[in-house]
Amino acid sequence: MNLPQALKRPTLHEELVERLRNLVVEDALKPGEKVPEKDLCEAFGVSRTPLREALKVLASEGLVVLQTNRGARVAKVTREELEKTFPVIAVLEQLAGEQACLHLDNAGIARIQKRHDAMVKAFHARDRKAYFKANQDIHNALIEGAGNDILETHHRLLAARVRRARYMVNLSDERWAQAIDEHEQMMALLHARDAEGLGLLMKTHMMNKFAAHIRALSFAEEDGLG
């Protein structure tokens, strides 16, 4: 008898981790801010124990810093962290682009095209929140499309660290337009299944994003905000 596969459903722990991660990534909890455990427990309807277990996961991802007998604080985004993390992510994205061209079927590429169209629509509407969501969906789909769970795991851990920086940076109109142009080229290369070309462009796209973050961080430091 062939038994059916177990149902996959998010556990309380997984959902709590995701909710907390989003609060940090989307800057609802600010860098350096103490995590308000009591308020979050009340808001989520959970006790301190599962909340603190979830915070341990975020600490392993570098999103919060656990302090002995003093709870947790949101980790600050630093220039050094970005300088170390972005080049590694860029190489992972390059590999993902190459492998996605080889492994994605036509239906998978069509799904990514649909997300791309939604992103372009958000760009023209100047809807940054919708744009960032569609953008993230595209990159995640390409990572998943590579069909390499080791690559996907490492990318997810590193991406969580720099995704928060993305929400803190207001892209200039020039960089925003450049990013859209790069994504248009990425889609053309994906449809053509040009593995080498897509891989190189995804690496370049990520490093261009890194340069934009560093420029924005420099301006913030000059203004006394960093």
PDB file of all heavy atoms in Angstrom, residues 18 22 25 93 115 119 128-144 155-156 158-160 162-164 166-167 183 205-206 209:
ATOM      1  N   GLU A  18       7.526  33.757  10.935  1.00  0.00           N
ATOM      2  CA  GLU A  18       7.277  34.545   9.724  1.00  0.00           C
ATOM      3  C   GLU A  18       6.699  35.915  10.061  1.00  0.00           C
ATOM      4  O   GLU A  18       7.087  36.930   9.481  1.00  0.00           O
ATOM      5  CB  GLU A  18       6.323  33.783   8.800  1.00  0.00           C
ATOM      6  CG  GLU A  18       6.057  34.477   7.470  1.00  0.00           C
ATOM      7  CD  GLU A  18       7.294  34.600   6.599  1.00  0.00           C
ATOM      8  OE1 GLU A  18       8.286  33.869   6.838  1.00  0.00           O
ATOM      9  OE2 GLU A  18       7.275  35.437   5.679  1.00  0.00           O
ATOM     10  N   ASN A  22       8.632  39.456   9.355  1.00  0.00           N
ATOM     11  CA  ASN A  22       8.054  40.534   8.551  1.00  0.00           C
ATOM     12  C   ASN A  22       8.060  41.865   9.290  1.00  0.00           C
ATOM     13  O   ASN A  22       8.259  42.926   8.681  1.00  0.00           O
ATOM     14  CB  ASN A  22       6.626  40.174   8.135  1.00  0.00           C
ATOM     15  CG  ASN A  22       6.587  39.096   7.073  1.00  0.00           C
ATOM     16  OD1 ASN A  22       7.578  38.869   6.373  1.00  0.00           O
ATOM     17  ND2 ASN A  22       5.462  38.414   6.950  1.00  0.00           N
ATOM     18  N   VAL A  25      11.729  42.957   8.923  1.00  0.00           N
ATOM     19  CA  VAL A  25      12.099  43.216   7.536  1.00  0.00           C
ATOM     20  C   VAL A  25      11.412  44.459   6.988  1.00  0.00           C
ATOM     21  O   VAL A  25      12.015  45.272   6.282  1.00  0.00           O
ATOM     22  CB  VAL A  25      11.772  41.990   6.654  1.00  0.00           C
ATOM     23  CG1 VAL A  25      11.841  42.337   5.181  1.00  0.00           C
ATOM     24  CG2 VAL A  25      12.740  40.852   6.962  1.00  0.00           C
ATOM     25  N   GLU A  93      22.583  34.089  -6.690  1.00  0.00           N
ATOM     26  CA  GLU A  93      21.585  34.449  -7.702  1.00  0.00           C
ATOM     27  C   GLU A  93      22.078  34.098  -9.098  1.00  0.00           C
ATOM     28  O   GLU A  93      21.296  33.675  -9.955  1.00  0.00           O
ATOM     29  CB  GLU A  93      21.252  35.937  -7.601  1.00  0.00           C
ATOM     30  CG  GLU A  93      20.557  36.344  -6.308  1.00  0.00           C
ATOM     31  CD  GLU A  93      19.127  36.799  -6.517  1.00  0.00           C
ATOM     32  OE1 GLU A  93      18.729  37.024  -7.676  1.00  0.00           O
ATOM     33  OE2 GLU A  93      18.407  36.934  -5.500  1.00  0.00           O
ATOM     34  N   ARG A 115       4.170  37.398 -12.801  1.00  0.00           N
ATOM     35  CA  ARG A 115       4.640  38.197 -11.668  1.00  0.00           C
ATOM     36  C   ARG A 115       5.414  39.415 -12.153  1.00  0.00           C
ATOM     37  O   ARG A 115       5.322  40.504 -11.564  1.00  0.00           O
ATOM     38  CB  ARG A 115       5.512  37.336 -10.755  1.00  0.00           C
ATOM     39  CG  ARG A 115       4.746  36.210 -10.069  1.00  0.00           C
ATOM     40  CD  ARG A 115       5.661  35.240  -9.358  1.00  0.00           C
ATOM     41  NE  ARG A 115       4.910  34.170  -8.721  1.00  0.00           N
ATOM     42  CZ  ARG A 115       5.460  33.138  -8.108  1.00  0.00           C
ATOM     43  NH1 ARG A 115       6.776  33.031  -8.057  1.00  0.00           N
ATOM     44  NH2 ARG A 115       4.698  32.207  -7.549  1.00  0.00           N
ATOM     45  N   MET A 119       4.728  43.393 -11.497  1.00  0.00           N
ATOM     46  CA  MET A 119       5.754  44.302 -10.998  1.00  0.00           C
ATOM     47  C   MET A 119       5.853  45.556 -11.864  1.00  0.00           C
ATOM     48  O   MET A 119       5.952  46.678 -11.356  1.00  0.00           O
ATOM     49  CB  MET A 119       7.107  43.592 -10.944  1.00  0.00           C
ATOM     50  CG  MET A 119       8.208  44.423 -10.317  1.00  0.00           C
ATOM     51  SD  MET A 119       9.824  43.588 -10.366  1.00  0.00           S
ATOM     52  CE  MET A 119      10.164  43.674 -12.131  1.00  0.00           C
ATOM     53  N   ARG A 128       5.167  51.332  -4.491  1.00  0.00           N
ATOM     54  CA  ARG A 128       6.403  50.690  -4.063  1.00  0.00           C
ATOM     55  C   ARG A 128       6.150  49.385  -3.307  1.00  0.00           C
ATOM     56  O   ARG A 128       6.875  48.406  -3.478  1.00  0.00           O
ATOM     57  CB  ARG A 128       7.231  51.651  -3.197  1.00  0.00           C
ATOM     58  CG  ARG A 128       7.874  52.779  -4.008  1.00  0.00           C
ATOM     59  CD  ARG A 128       8.683  53.702  -3.121  1.00  0.00           C
ATOM     60  NE  ARG A 128       9.264  54.793  -3.910  1.00  0.00           N
ATOM     61  CZ  ARG A 128      10.482  54.774  -4.459  1.00  0.00           C
ATOM     62  NH1 ARG A 128      11.242  53.711  -4.295  1.00  0.00           N
ATOM     63  NH2 ARG A 128      10.926  55.795  -5.147  1.00  0.00           N
ATOM     64  N   LYS A 129       5.119  49.366  -2.468  1.00  0.00           N
ATOM     65  CA  LYS A 129       4.852  48.155  -1.693  1.00  0.00           C
ATOM     66  C   LYS A 129       4.499  46.987  -2.612  1.00  0.00           C
ATOM     67  O   LYS A 129       5.028  45.880  -2.459  1.00  0.00           O
ATOM     68  CB  LYS A 129       3.715  48.407  -0.700  1.00  0.00           C
ATOM     69  CG  LYS A 129       3.464  47.233   0.233  1.00  0.00           C
ATOM     70  CD  LYS A 129       2.442  47.578   1.301  1.00  0.00           C
ATOM     71  CE  LYS A 129       2.252  46.412   2.263  1.00  0.00           C
ATOM     72  NZ  LYS A 129       1.277  46.725   3.338  1.00  0.00           N
ATOM     73  N   ALA A 130       3.625  47.229  -3.592  1.00  0.00           N
ATOM     74  CA  ALA A 130       3.247  46.174  -4.531  1.00  0.00           C
ATOM     75  C   ALA A 130       4.446  45.790  -5.403  1.00  0.00           C
ATOM     76  O   ALA A 130       4.635  44.617  -5.747  1.00  0.00           O
ATOM     77  CB  ALA A 130       2.084  46.633  -5.401  1.00  0.00           C
ATOM     78  N   TYR A 131       5.250  46.785  -5.755  1.00  0.00           N
ATOM     79  CA  TYR A 131       6.447  46.522  -6.560  1.00  0.00           C
ATOM     80  C   TYR A 131       7.412  45.608  -5.823  1.00  0.00           C
ATOM     81  O   TYR A 131       7.899  44.615  -6.371  1.00  0.00           O
ATOM     82  CB  TYR A 131       7.145  47.843  -6.896  1.00  0.00           C
ATOM     83  CG  TYR A 131       8.513  47.661  -7.521  1.00  0.00           C
ATOM     84  CD1 TYR A 131       8.654  47.455  -8.886  1.00  0.00           C
ATOM     85  CD2 TYR A 131       9.665  47.687  -6.724  1.00  0.00           C
ATOM     86  CE1 TYR A 131       9.913  47.266  -9.456  1.00  0.00           C
ATOM     87  CE2 TYR A 131      10.922  47.504  -7.285  1.00  0.00           C
ATOM     88  CZ  TYR A 131      11.043  47.295  -8.644  1.00  0.00           C
ATOM     89  OH  TYR A 131      12.282  47.102  -9.198  1.00  0.00           O
ATOM     90  N   PHE A 132       7.701  45.924  -4.567  1.00  0.00           N
ATOM     91  CA  PHE A 132       8.639  45.124  -3.803  1.00  0.00           C
ATOM     92  C   PHE A 132       8.136  43.699  -3.612  1.00  0.00           C
ATOM     93  O   PHE A 132       8.911  42.753  -3.640  1.00  0.00           O
ATOM     94  CB  PHE A 132       8.912  45.769  -2.442  1.00  0.00           C
ATOM     95  CG  PHE A 132       9.848  46.948  -2.510  1.00  0.00           C
ATOM     96  CD1 PHE A 132       9.537  48.134  -1.864  1.00  0.00           C
ATOM     97  CD2 PHE A 132      11.026  46.878  -3.221  1.00  0.00           C
ATOM     98  CE1 PHE A 132      10.393  49.223  -1.925  1.00  0.00           C
ATOM     99  CE2 PHE A 132      11.892  47.959  -3.296  1.00  0.00           C
ATOM    100  CZ  PHE A 132      11.576  49.143  -2.634  1.00  0.00           C
ATOM    101  N   LYS A 133       6.836  43.537  -3.407  1.00  0.00           N
ATOM    102  CA  LYS A 133       6.281  42.199  -3.227  1.00  0.00           C
ATOM    103  C   LYS A 133       6.446  41.376  -4.499  1.00  0.00           C
ATOM    104  O   LYS A 133       6.881  40.221  -4.465  1.00  0.00           O
ATOM    105  CB  LYS A 133       4.810  42.249  -2.838  1.00  0.00           C
ATOM    106  CG  LYS A 133       4.215  40.855  -2.574  1.00  0.00           C
ATOM    107  CD  LYS A 133       2.758  40.903  -2.215  1.00  0.00           C
ATOM    108  CE  LYS A 133       2.245  39.510  -1.843  1.00  0.00           C
ATOM    109  NZ  LYS A 133       2.559  38.488  -2.868  1.00  0.00           N
ATOM    110  N   ALA A 134       6.080  41.973  -5.640  1.00  0.00           N
ATOM    111  CA  ALA A 134       6.210  41.267  -6.912  1.00  0.00           C
ATOM    112  C   ALA A 134       7.678  40.958  -7.210  1.00  0.00           C
ATOM    113  O   ALA A 134       8.018  39.873  -7.699  1.00  0.00           O
ATOM    114  CB  ALA A 134       5.595  42.090  -8.040  1.00  0.00           C
ATOM    115  N   ASN A 135       8.541  41.908  -6.901  1.00  0.00           N
ATOM    116  CA  ASN A 135       9.970  41.722  -7.116  1.00  0.00           C
ATOM    117  C   ASN A 135      10.493  40.547  -6.302  1.00  0.00           C
ATOM    118  O   ASN A 135      11.227  39.685  -6.806  1.00  0.00           O
ATOM    119  CB  ASN A 135      10.701  43.021  -6.739  1.00  0.00           C
ATOM    120  CG  ASN A 135      12.206  42.933  -6.953  1.00  0.00           C
ATOM    121  OD1 ASN A 135      12.914  42.336  -6.151  1.00  0.00           O
ATOM    122  ND2 ASN A 135      12.687  43.542  -8.017  1.00  0.00           N
ATOM    123  N   GLN A 136      10.077  40.502  -5.040  1.00  0.00           N
ATOM    124  CA  GLN A 136      10.506  39.408  -4.174  1.00  0.00           C
ATOM    125  C   GLN A 136       9.975  38.067  -4.682  1.00  0.00           C
ATOM    126  O   GLN A 136      10.678  37.056  -4.659  1.00  0.00           O
ATOM    127  CB  GLN A 136      10.020  39.658  -2.746  1.00  0.00           C
ATOM    128  CG  GLN A 136      10.647  38.757  -1.702  1.00  0.00           C
ATOM    129  CD  GLN A 136      12.142  39.010  -1.549  1.00  0.00           C
ATOM    130  OE1 GLN A 136      12.588  40.156  -1.608  1.00  0.00           O
ATOM    131  NE2 GLN A 136      12.909  37.960  -1.351  1.00  0.00           N
ATOM    132  N   ASP A 137       8.727  38.074  -5.157  1.00  0.00           N
ATOM    133  CA  ASP A 137       8.123  36.851  -5.692  1.00  0.00           C
ATOM    134  C   ASP A 137       8.913  36.327  -6.892  1.00  0.00           C
ATOM    135  O   ASP A 137       9.098  35.111  -7.050  1.00  0.00           O
ATOM    136  CB  ASP A 137       6.670  37.103  -6.100  1.00  0.00           C
ATOM    137  CG  ASP A 137       5.743  37.257  -4.904  1.00  0.00           C
ATOM    138  OD1 ASP A 137       6.149  36.892  -3.783  1.00  0.00           O
ATOM    139  OD2 ASP A 137       4.613  37.751  -5.095  1.00  0.00           O
ATOM    140  N   ILE A 138       9.370  37.238  -7.738  1.00  0.00           N
ATOM    141  CA  ILE A 138      10.127  36.843  -8.928  1.00  0.00           C
ATOM    142  C   ILE A 138      11.448  36.188  -8.534  1.00  0.00           C
ATOM    143  O   ILE A 138      11.805  35.105  -9.025  1.00  0.00           O
ATOM    144  CB  ILE A 138      10.386  38.060  -9.836  1.00  0.00           C
ATOM    145  CG1 ILE A 138       9.076  38.536 -10.465  1.00  0.00           C
ATOM    146  CG2 ILE A 138      11.419  37.727 -10.920  1.00  0.00           C
ATOM    147  CD1 ILE A 138       9.171  39.893 -11.137  1.00  0.00           C
ATOM    148  N   HIS A 139      12.185  36.850  -7.647  1.00  0.00           N
ATOM    149  CA  HIS A 139      13.470  36.301  -7.232  1.00  0.00           C
ATOM    150  C   HIS A 139      13.298  34.960  -6.519  1.00  0.00           C
ATOM    151  O   HIS A 139      14.070  34.029  -6.740  1.00  0.00           O
ATOM    152  CB  HIS A 139      14.218  37.306  -6.346  1.00  0.00           C
ATOM    153  CG  HIS A 139      14.856  38.416  -7.123  1.00  0.00           C
ATOM    154  ND1 HIS A 139      16.128  38.318  -7.651  1.00  0.00           N
ATOM    155  CD2 HIS A 139      14.396  39.644  -7.477  1.00  0.00           C
ATOM    156  CE1 HIS A 139      16.417  39.434  -8.298  1.00  0.00           C
ATOM    157  NE2 HIS A 139      15.386  40.260  -8.197  1.00  0.00           N
ATOM    158  N   ASN A 140      12.272  34.856  -5.681  1.00  0.00           N
ATOM    159  CA  ASN A 140      12.023  33.589  -4.989  1.00  0.00           C
ATOM    160  C   ASN A 140      11.682  32.483  -5.983  1.00  0.00           C
ATOM    161  O   ASN A 140      12.120  31.324  -5.829  1.00  0.00           O
ATOM    162  CB  ASN A 140      10.881  33.747  -3.983  1.00  0.00           C
ATOM    163  CG  ASN A 140      11.300  34.529  -2.750  1.00  0.00           C
ATOM    164  OD1 ASN A 140      12.489  34.667  -2.460  1.00  0.00           O
ATOM    165  ND2 ASN A 140      10.332  35.058  -2.019  1.00  0.00           N
ATOM    166  N   ALA A 141      10.885  32.825  -7.005  1.00  0.00           N
ATOM    167  CA  ALA A 141      10.492  31.823  -8.003  1.00  0.00           C
ATOM    168  C   ALA A 141      11.706  31.339  -8.796  1.00  0.00           C
ATOM    169  O   ALA A 141      11.800  30.146  -9.131  1.00  0.00           O
ATOM    170  CB  ALA A 141       9.450  32.413  -8.950  1.00  0.00           C
ATOM    171  N   LEU A 142      12.629  32.232  -9.083  1.00  0.00           N
ATOM    172  CA  LEU A 142      13.839  31.835  -9.805  1.00  0.00           C
ATOM    173  C   LEU A 142      14.741  30.970  -8.925  1.00  0.00           C
ATOM    174  O   LEU A 142      15.331  29.993  -9.407  1.00  0.00           O
ATOM    175  CB  LEU A 142      14.595  33.075 -10.286  1.00  0.00           C
ATOM    176  CG  LEU A 142      13.939  33.818 -11.459  1.00  0.00           C
ATOM    177  CD1 LEU A 142      14.581  35.189 -11.662  1.00  0.00           C
ATOM    178  CD2 LEU A 142      14.048  32.991 -12.738  1.00  0.00           C
ATOM    179  N   ILE A 143      14.822  31.332  -7.647  1.00  0.00           N
ATOM    180  CA  ILE A 143      15.619  30.520  -6.719  1.00  0.00           C
ATOM    181  C   ILE A 143      15.019  29.122  -6.611  1.00  0.00           C
ATOM    182  O   ILE A 143      15.726  28.112  -6.696  1.00  0.00           O
ATOM    183  CB  ILE A 143      15.678  31.186  -5.330  1.00  0.00           C
ATOM    184  CG1 ILE A 143      16.431  32.524  -5.397  1.00  0.00           C
ATOM    185  CG2 ILE A 143      16.340  30.249  -4.324  1.00  0.00           C
ATOM    186  CD1 ILE A 143      17.884  32.415  -5.781  1.00  0.00           C
ATOM    187  N   GLU A 144      13.703  29.050  -6.428  1.00  0.00           N
ATOM    188  CA  GLU A 144      13.027  27.749  -6.335  1.00  0.00           C
ATOM    189  C   GLU A 144      13.144  26.976  -7.644  1.00  0.00           C
ATOM    190  O   GLU A 144      13.286  25.748  -7.658  1.00  0.00           O
ATOM    191  CB  GLU A 144      11.559  27.952  -5.978  1.00  0.00           C
ATOM    192  CG  GLU A 144      11.341  28.508  -4.569  1.00  0.00           C
ATOM    193  CD  GLU A 144       9.901  28.930  -4.330  1.00  0.00           C
ATOM    194  OE1 GLU A 144       9.055  28.688  -5.220  1.00  0.00           O
ATOM    195  OE2 GLU A 144       9.622  29.505  -3.264  1.00  0.00           O
ATOM    196  N   HIS A 155      20.348  30.885   0.371  1.00  0.00           N
ATOM    197  CA  HIS A 155      19.872  32.162  -0.156  1.00  0.00           C
ATOM    198  C   HIS A 155      18.827  32.763   0.776  1.00  0.00           C
ATOM    199  O   HIS A 155      18.829  33.973   1.038  1.00  0.00           O
ATOM    200  CB  HIS A 155      19.277  31.963  -1.556  1.00  0.00           C
ATOM    201  CG  HIS A 155      18.829  33.238  -2.202  1.00  0.00           C
ATOM    202  ND1 HIS A 155      17.583  33.796  -1.972  1.00  0.00           N
ATOM    203  CD2 HIS A 155      19.455  34.082  -3.072  1.00  0.00           C
ATOM    204  CE1 HIS A 155      17.463  34.901  -2.661  1.00  0.00           C
ATOM    205  NE2 HIS A 155      18.581  35.097  -3.331  1.00  0.00           N
ATOM    206  N   ARG A 156      17.922  31.937   1.279  1.00  0.00           N
ATOM    207  CA  ARG A 156      16.858  32.431   2.159  1.00  0.00           C
ATOM    208  C   ARG A 156      17.427  33.069   3.422  1.00  0.00           C
ATOM    209  O   ARG A 156      16.983  34.139   3.850  1.00  0.00           O
ATOM    210  CB  ARG A 156      15.904  31.295   2.522  1.00  0.00           C
ATOM    211  CG  ARG A 156      14.736  31.749   3.394  1.00  0.00           C
ATOM    212  CD  ARG A 156      13.739  30.643   3.636  1.00  0.00           C
ATOM    213  NE  ARG A 156      14.316  29.537   4.381  1.00  0.00           N
ATOM    214  CZ  ARG A 156      14.597  28.353   3.868  1.00  0.00           C
ATOM    215  NH1 ARG A 156      14.364  28.090   2.595  1.00  0.00           N
ATOM    216  NH2 ARG A 156      15.118  27.392   4.624  1.00  0.00           N
ATOM    217  N   LEU A 158      20.452  34.393   3.894  1.00  0.00           N
ATOM    218  CA  LEU A 158      21.164  35.638   3.609  1.00  0.00           C
ATOM    219  C   LEU A 158      20.218  36.742   3.142  1.00  0.00           C
ATOM    220  O   LEU A 158      20.382  37.903   3.497  1.00  0.00           O
ATOM    221  CB  LEU A 158      22.244  35.386   2.549  1.00  0.00           C
ATOM    222  CG  LEU A 158      23.415  34.515   3.004  1.00  0.00           C
ATOM    223  CD1 LEU A 158      24.339  34.226   1.825  1.00  0.00           C
ATOM    224  CD2 LEU A 158      24.190  35.194   4.117  1.00  0.00           C
ATOM    225  N   ALA A 159      19.212  36.365   2.364  1.00  0.00           N
ATOM    226  CA  ALA A 159      18.273  37.357   1.836  1.00  0.00           C
ATOM    227  C   ALA A 159      17.495  38.029   2.959  1.00  0.00           C
ATOM    228  O   ALA A 159      17.143  39.208   2.861  1.00  0.00           O
ATOM    229  CB  ALA A 159      17.316  36.705   0.845  1.00  0.00           C
ATOM    230  N   ALA A 160      17.208  37.291   4.031  1.00  0.00           N
ATOM    231  CA  ALA A 160      16.487  37.876   5.163  1.00  0.00           C
ATOM    232  C   ALA A 160      17.275  39.030   5.765  1.00  0.00           C
ATOM    233  O   ALA A 160      16.707  40.018   6.227  1.00  0.00           O
ATOM    234  CB  ALA A 160      16.211  36.810   6.219  1.00  0.00           C
ATOM    235  N   VAL A 162      19.428  41.161   4.179  1.00  0.00           N
ATOM    236  CA  VAL A 162      19.494  42.370   3.358  1.00  0.00           C
ATOM    237  C   VAL A 162      18.124  42.862   2.918  1.00  0.00           C
ATOM    238  O   VAL A 162      17.989  43.992   2.459  1.00  0.00           O
ATOM    239  CB  VAL A 162      20.388  42.144   2.120  1.00  0.00           C
ATOM    240  CG1 VAL A 162      21.803  41.790   2.541  1.00  0.00           C
ATOM    241  CG2 VAL A 162      19.817  41.081   1.214  1.00  0.00           C
ATOM    242  N   ARG A 163      17.086  42.006   3.036  1.00  0.00           N
ATOM    243  CA  ARG A 163      15.749  42.438   2.637  1.00  0.00           C
ATOM    244  C   ARG A 163      15.281  43.599   3.497  1.00  0.00           C
ATOM    245  O   ARG A 163      14.594  44.497   3.038  1.00  0.00           O
ATOM    246  CB  ARG A 163      14.775  41.266   2.741  1.00  0.00           C
ATOM    247  CG  ARG A 163      13.469  41.510   2.007  1.00  0.00           C
ATOM    248  CD  ARG A 163      12.738  40.204   1.739  1.00  0.00           C
ATOM    249  NE  ARG A 163      12.219  39.603   2.932  1.00  0.00           N
ATOM    250  CZ  ARG A 163      12.517  38.391   3.385  1.00  0.00           C
ATOM    251  NH1 ARG A 163      13.377  37.647   2.717  1.00  0.00           N
ATOM    252  NH2 ARG A 163      11.987  37.915   4.475  1.00  0.00           N
ATOM    253  N   ARG A 164      15.694  43.614   4.767  1.00  0.00           N
ATOM    254  CA  ARG A 164      15.325  44.712   5.653  1.00  0.00           C
ATOM    255  C   ARG A 164      15.932  46.025   5.155  1.00  0.00           C
ATOM    256  O   ARG A 164      15.300  47.076   5.208  1.00  0.00           O
ATOM    257  CB  ARG A 164      15.826  44.411   7.068  1.00  0.00           C
ATOM    258  CG  ARG A 164      15.578  45.504   8.065  1.00  0.00           C
ATOM    259  CD  ARG A 164      15.762  44.958   9.469  1.00  0.00           C
ATOM    260  NE  ARG A 164      16.997  44.216   9.601  1.00  0.00           N
ATOM    261  CZ  ARG A 164      18.066  44.673  10.263  1.00  0.00           C
ATOM    262  NH1 ARG A 164      18.029  45.850  10.818  1.00  0.00           N
ATOM    263  NH2 ARG A 164      19.147  43.949  10.361  1.00  0.00           N
ATOM    264  N   ARG A 166      16.441  46.851   2.137  1.00  0.00           N
ATOM    265  CA  ARG A 166      15.684  47.289   0.974  1.00  0.00           C
ATOM    266  C   ARG A 166      14.500  48.158   1.374  1.00  0.00           C
ATOM    267  O   ARG A 166      14.200  49.158   0.731  1.00  0.00           O
ATOM    268  CB  ARG A 166      15.187  46.072   0.198  1.00  0.00           C
ATOM    269  CG  ARG A 166      14.483  46.415  -1.101  1.00  0.00           C
ATOM    270  CD  ARG A 166      13.777  45.193  -1.653  1.00  0.00           C
ATOM    271  NE  ARG A 166      12.693  44.787  -0.779  1.00  0.00           N
ATOM    272  CZ  ARG A 166      11.944  43.705  -0.987  1.00  0.00           C
ATOM    273  NH1 ARG A 166      12.201  42.919  -2.003  1.00  0.00           N
ATOM    274  NH2 ARG A 166      10.956  43.419  -0.186  1.00  0.00           N
ATOM    275  N   TYR A 167      13.827  47.798   2.459  1.00  0.00           N
ATOM    276  CA  TYR A 167      12.682  48.576   2.896  1.00  0.00           C
ATOM    277  C   TYR A 167      13.096  49.915   3.501  1.00  0.00           C
ATOM    278  O   TYR A 167      12.305  50.845   3.568  1.00  0.00           O
ATOM    279  CB  TYR A 167      11.855  47.790   3.923  1.00  0.00           C
ATOM    280  CG  TYR A 167      10.922  46.798   3.290  1.00  0.00           C
ATOM    281  CD1 TYR A 167      11.352  45.491   3.031  1.00  0.00           C
ATOM    282  CD2 TYR A 167       9.631  47.142   2.936  1.00  0.00           C
ATOM    283  CE1 TYR A 167      10.508  44.565   2.443  1.00  0.00           C
ATOM    284  CE2 TYR A 167       8.776  46.213   2.348  1.00  0.00           C
ATOM    285  CZ  TYR A 167       9.222  44.943   2.117  1.00  0.00           C
ATOM    286  OH  TYR A 167       8.376  44.037   1.531  1.00  0.00           O
ATOM    287  N   HIS A 183      15.184  43.819 -15.181  1.00  0.00           N
ATOM    288  CA  HIS A 183      14.221  42.720 -15.095  1.00  0.00           C
ATOM    289  C   HIS A 183      13.631  42.377 -16.463  1.00  0.00           C
ATOM    290  O   HIS A 183      13.354  41.205 -16.749  1.00  0.00           O
ATOM    291  CB  HIS A 183      13.109  43.059 -14.101  1.00  0.00           C
ATOM    292  CG  HIS A 183      13.392  42.577 -12.707  1.00  0.00           C
ATOM    293  ND1 HIS A 183      13.028  41.323 -12.265  1.00  0.00           N
ATOM    294  CD2 HIS A 183      14.025  43.177 -11.671  1.00  0.00           C
ATOM    295  CE1 HIS A 183      13.415  41.173 -11.014  1.00  0.00           C
ATOM    296  NE2 HIS A 183      14.026  42.277 -10.621  1.00  0.00           N
ATOM    297  N   HIS A 205      22.644  42.572 -11.517  1.00  0.00           N
ATOM    298  CA  HIS A 205      21.447  43.205 -10.952  1.00  0.00           C
ATOM    299  C   HIS A 205      21.579  43.301  -9.432  1.00  0.00           C
ATOM    300  O   HIS A 205      21.280  44.350  -8.835  1.00  0.00           O
ATOM    301  CB  HIS A 205      20.222  42.371 -11.326  1.00  0.00           C
ATOM    302  CG  HIS A 205      18.948  42.826 -10.711  1.00  0.00           C
ATOM    303  ND1 HIS A 205      18.322  44.012 -11.048  1.00  0.00           N
ATOM    304  CD2 HIS A 205      18.156  42.249  -9.764  1.00  0.00           C
ATOM    305  CE1 HIS A 205      17.209  44.144 -10.347  1.00  0.00           C
ATOM    306  NE2 HIS A 205      17.087  43.087  -9.563  1.00  0.00           N
ATOM    307  N   MET A 206      22.042  42.249  -8.797  1.00  0.00           N
ATOM    308  CA  MET A 206      22.187  42.258  -7.345  1.00  0.00           C
ATOM    309  C   MET A 206      23.275  43.224  -6.898  1.00  0.00           C
ATOM    310  O   MET A 206      23.118  43.933  -5.894  1.00  0.00           O
ATOM    311  CB  MET A 206      22.493  40.838  -6.857  1.00  0.00           C
ATOM    312  CG  MET A 206      22.437  40.671  -5.345  1.00  0.00           C
ATOM    313  SD  MET A 206      20.863  41.150  -4.593  1.00  0.00           S
ATOM    314  CE  MET A 206      19.729  40.057  -5.473  1.00  0.00           C
ATOM    315  N   LYS A 209      22.024  46.687  -7.077  1.00  0.00           N
ATOM    316  CA  LYS A 209      21.161  46.931  -5.913  1.00  0.00           C
ATOM    317  C   LYS A 209      22.020  47.245  -4.689  1.00  0.00           C
ATOM    318  O   LYS A 209      21.700  48.143  -3.905  1.00  0.00           O
ATOM    319  CB  LYS A 209      20.289  45.705  -5.657  1.00  0.00           C
ATOM    320  CG  LYS A 209      19.252  45.888  -4.553  1.00  0.00           C
ATOM    321  CD  LYS A 209      18.423  44.624  -4.367  1.00  0.00           C
ATOM    322  CE  LYS A 209      17.550  44.333  -5.582  1.00  0.00           C
ATOM    323  NZ  LYS A 209      16.604  43.211  -5.338  1.00  0.00           N
TER     324      LYS A 209
END
